Amino acid sequence: MKKICLCAALLLSPQAFSEPLVQWWDVNVTALYGQDYDLAPSDKQTTFTLETAGGWKYGDWFVFQDFINFNGHNGGKDNTTYGEISTRFSAGKILGEPVGFGPVTDLSLALTFEEGEGPVETLLYGVGMDLKLPYFTYFQLNTYRRDAQNSANLSDGWQLTPVFRMDIPVGNSKIVFDGFIDWVFAADEDGYKENIHINPQIKYDLGATLFGEAKKDKLLVGIEYDYWQNKYGVDGVDQNTYSVIAQYHF
């Protein structure tokens, strides 16, 4: 019923013909190198990530694709891929008026599809919230139902995902602190343990320092921290690692 109501509101919205379909967008590529990765052919990894994010007339999107190389592996597969496709349908944008309460500035229908090599395909659907919090450039909180698309994938359950960013001025440049937390707090299958994946990045806007205002938000360098308790839902496998990163925005 919720989907039917949203579609009806979308068709009736007076904004449908008055605003551009795409309001803003960004594309970037990130190179990462780290070690001490668990449940992989090698504990050392080099990853290239392509990302795009943007806002459109009825919501927003975020898509990424990881290309992972297992450095110095001893036999077996030396690379793999993983990605996610996410979009949210904003009640505020569709209805043409604010939808929120207290620090909540908008509510959305949140959808994500996880894909990659192996039995990882999972559809996530639920409710997203945008919150206005002090010091945060943005803070989103999405609550999902996980629906595995393969019988070998045991990750059915419920997931809570905060996504955040802070911009901290430093002279003529800034430090960007952003990331996400995936918390599978209720799993349907006994063979899949509840897990929490914490993945923040701290990046310095090197482009603004080297080339001035024209290259602001273009070239960032920093560190990514990755903590994953019960990685992939495997009991007792706790990943704790850092990667150095370089990120370029087109």
Side-chain angles (χ1 to χ4, degrees), residues 62-65 83-87 111-115 124:
F62 176 72
V63 179
F64 77 86
Q65 185 71 46
E84 296 183 9
I85 303 170
S86 300
T87 190
L111 304 171
T112 293
F113 183 69
E114 301 175 346
E115 54 81 20
L124 290 77

Side-chain angles (χ1 to χ4, degrees), residues 36-150:
D36 298 325
Y37 287 91
D38 292 318
L39 298 180
S42 171
D43 68 340
K44 300 179 178 65
Q45 293 183 14
T46 300
T47 303
F48 290 95
T49 300
L50 296 177
E51 292 181 341
T52 178
W56 62 300
K57 189 187 299 185
Y58 306 118
D60 53 40
W61 79 80
F62 176 72
V63 179
F64 77 86
Q65 185 71 46
D66 286 341
F67 301 90
I68 304 167
N69 185 73
F70 304 115
N71 305 98
H73 71 100
N74 297 315
K77 189 171 178 58
D78 61 1
N79 58 74
T80 191
T81 63
Y82 175 77
E84 296 183 9
I85 303 170
S86 300
T87 190
R88 302 189 310 163
F89 292 88
S90 159
K93 286 186 175 182
I94 291 171
L95 297 174
E97 58 186 36
V99 176
F101 48 91
V104 178
T105 59
D106 199 8
L107 297 174
S108 300
L109 170 65
L111 304 171
T112 293
F113 183 69
E114 301 175 346
E115 54 81 20
E117 298 186 26
V120 301
E121 287 81 8
T122 306
L123 177 64
L124 290 77
Y125 49 89
V127 176
M129 294 191 299
D130 287 7
L131 294 94
K132 186 175 182 179
L133 300 179
Y135 309 112
F136 285 88
T137 306
Y138 63 76
F139 192 100
Q140 300 171 353
L141 185 63
N142 301 312
T143 303
Y144 294 108
R145 172 65 186 173
R146 295 182 57 86
D147 185 5
Q149 303 296 296
N150 187 296

Side-chain angles (χ1 to χ4, degrees), residues 1 7 29 39 45 47 56 89 94 104 106 118 126 150 166 194 199 206 209 238 240:
M1 179 62 68
C7 290
V29 59
L39 298 180
Q45 293 183 14
T47 303
W56 62 300
F89 292 88
I94 291 171
V104 178
D106 199 8
N150 187 296
M166 300 175 70
E194 298 176 1
N199 191 254
L206 184 60
T209 300
D238 298 337
N240 189 356

